[in-house]
Amino acid sequence: MLRLALTPRWLGWFLLVVLASLACLWLGQWQWGRYEDKSARAERIESHYEADPVPVTEVLTDDPVAIDDEWTRVRATGTYDTGQQVLVRNRPLDGTYGYEVLLPLRLEGGGTLLVDRGWVPNSPKGADVAPEVPAAPTGEVTVTGWIRLGEKSLERDMPRGQVASINLDEVSEEVGTDLLGGYVSLQSEDPRSERPDPLAVPDTDTGPHMAYAIQWWLVIPAGWVFVVLALRREAQEGVGRAPRPKKVRIWDEEDG
């Protein structure tokens, strides 16, 4: 087996298995990383989502909020700046695309909190026409909701009053004021008023990534076992094969 394994053909097979093993190792680590990210997110949601709300200023400052504080349930009191509404375009809800409605809430203790009040469908006249949005309550209002992280910029030029993602810097430019380092997904308002449709409950499913990672890693030993067994079988066939009889040429018989 050793002599056969050192032939160029089998060395090529071994090199191929090494490269395939490295690829499977990387793919397994990638899937495991996705599982860990989703698992950590699910744990944050499950620990925060139904918890008693805390004052928003205990969680948010001018600095970007820490990921461990995402989905913390908070309460804030202030006044909506109803003249600075911003719409987030191309946001899905139950398979339909529309807008999420953002409003700055000027807190009674100072600072401005961005509130995502919910979702509205596109206008029947088309996505380029601003949709109808239920009016926000005037005067002092207390909101309860969940802390969310600001999103990455999609770097798209949008019409005035619209953004492509909830990027806090871009929204801050739209509303003309600095915002706290996270925003709130609205659960309820007091006093109650008509509002956009509530956003979907966050998904805590971790998906099949753990199973995919294990499958990729199991391919590695399976590949090596297959190659070694194939090498062993070829070596055994070579040992058991009877030598071919030497051909005797006609003129060799005549010479004899």
Side-chain angles (χ1 to χ4, degrees):
M1 282 182 62
L2 181 59
R3 286 197 299 271
L4 183 61
L6 295 178
T7 59
R9 182 168 68 89
W10 276 101
L11 288 175
W13 277 111
F14 287 135
L15 177 60
L16 180 62
V17 174
V18 168
L19 295 176
S21 297
L22 292 174
C24 290
L25 179 63
W26 181 83
L27 288 168
Q29 290 176 330
W30 173 61
Q31 288 288 354
W32 187 262
R34 296 192 66 187
Y35 163 73
E36 288 185 323
D37 290 343
K38 287 197 171 185
S39 179
R41 180 178 182 272
E43 290 179 3
R44 288 195 301 272
I45 294 172
E46 291 170 356
S47 63
H48 294 324
Y49 200 76
E50 298 294 342
D52 293 335
V54 299
V56 69
T57 51
E58 291 185 7
V59 184
L60 290 184
T61 65
D62 294 334
D63 298 324
V65 64
I67 191 170
D68 290 341
D69 291 325
E70 187 181 26
W71 294 108
T72 299
R73 193 161 172 248
V74 296
R75 180 171 289 138
T77 299
T79 304
Y80 279 126
D81 190 347
T82 55
Q84 296 295 337
Q85 177 178 277
V86 177
L87 300 177
V88 193
R89 195 167 179 171
N90 293 327
R91 306 293 276 207
L93 182 68
D94 296 331
T96 302
Y97 280 84
Y99 297 85
E100 288 181 30
V101 181
L102 307 179
L103 267 182
L105 180 72
R106 300 191 183 277
L107 303 178
E108 58 182 3
T112 303
L113 170 68
L114 184 66
V115 178
D116 186 338
R117 298 190 67 234
W119 180 91
V120 293
N122 290 334
S123 169
K125 298 179 181 179
D128 292 333
V129 178
E132 293 186 6
V133 178
T138 58
E140 187 176 87
V141 60
T142 297
V143 301
T144 301
W146 298 277
I147 294 293
R148 299 300 312 276
L149 307 180
E151 299 174 355
K152 292 182 179 180
S153 172
L154 299 182
E155 299 181 355
R156 296 176 184 169
D157 292 330
M158 303 294 292
R160 179 66 183 169
Q162 295 186 16
V163 290
S165 66
I166 308 179
N167 178 271
L168 296 177
D169 290 336
E170 292 178 352
V171 178
S172 177
E173 291 181 7
E174 285 290 330
V175 301
T177 188
D178 292 333
L179 300 171
L180 296 180
Y183 71 97
V184 167
S185 178
L186 183 66
Q187 180 186 22
S188 63
E189 295 169 329
D190 184 19
R192 296 180 62 180
S193 66
E194 186 181 2
R195 57 163 292 189
D197 293 338
L199 301 180
V201 175
D203 183 13
T204 57
D205 184 16
T206 57
H209 302 293
M210 176 192 286
Y212 287 163
I214 294 173
Q215 289 173 7
W216 281 117
W217 289 332
L218 288 177
V219 170
I220 298 174
W224 282 102
V225 168
F226 176 81
V227 170
V228 170
L229 289 178
L231 174 64
R232 180 183 178 188
R233 182 176 60 184
E234 184 171 321
Q236 290 176 340
E237 289 175 353
V239 171
R241 187 181 299 122
R244 294 182 179 180
K246 183 179 180 181
K247 292 183 179 180
V248 180
R249 295 170 297 182
I250 298 176
W251 50 87
D252 289 337
E253 293 178 347
E254 293 176 350
D255 292 343

